[in-house]
Amino acid sequence: PTHIKLDVDGNELQIILGGIKTFESAKEIHIELDMSSEEHNEAFLLLEKLGFEIINKEPIYRVWHQPQSNYILRKKNAM
């Protein structure tokens, strides 16, 4: 796939690690992350190592006030 949407309620890092070859070949990823979570930060850093950068960030406002956002990441050399 060239585009991936990932919303797995806290298991993002495990999904990325398990499907590393699929993520390496993707051009764009849509992902919901809570950057106050250590695991979500690790997932984001792994995606950066795979060559992705943030092209859009949209905060999500929830009742429980967790700092979550929807991110669109694109491979640096993909256009």
Side-chain angles (χ1 to χ4, degrees), residues 65-79:
H65 303 292
Q66 289 179 314
Q68 294 177 319
S69 294
N70 283 315
Y71 291 86
I72 299 176
L73 307 171
R74 185 175 292 149
K75 271 273 175 75
K76 292 178 184 172
N77 59 0
M79 280 306 270

Side-chain angles (χ1 to χ4, degrees), residues 11-43:
N11 297 303
E12 288 78 7
L13 181 59
Q14 291 85 2
I15 298 294
I16 296 166
L17 288 169
I20 198 82
K21 290 186 183 209
T22 300
F23 284 89
E24 287 175 335
S25 67
K27 293 181 180 178
E28 193 168 284
I29 298 173
H30 295 228
I31 187 169
E32 181 180 309
L33 295 173
D34 171 0
M35 293 308 241
S36 69
S37 160
E38 184 177 326
E39 187 171 309
H40 281 199
N41 273 302
E42 287 180 45

Side-chain angles (χ1 to χ4, degrees), residues 1-2 4 8 20 22 25 27 30 45 48 50-51 54 63 67 72:
T2 58
I4 297 173
V8 291
I20 198 82
T22 300
S25 67
K27 293 181 180 178
H30 295 228
L45 292 173
E48 277 191 322
L50 293 176
I54 296 172
V63 175
I72 299 176

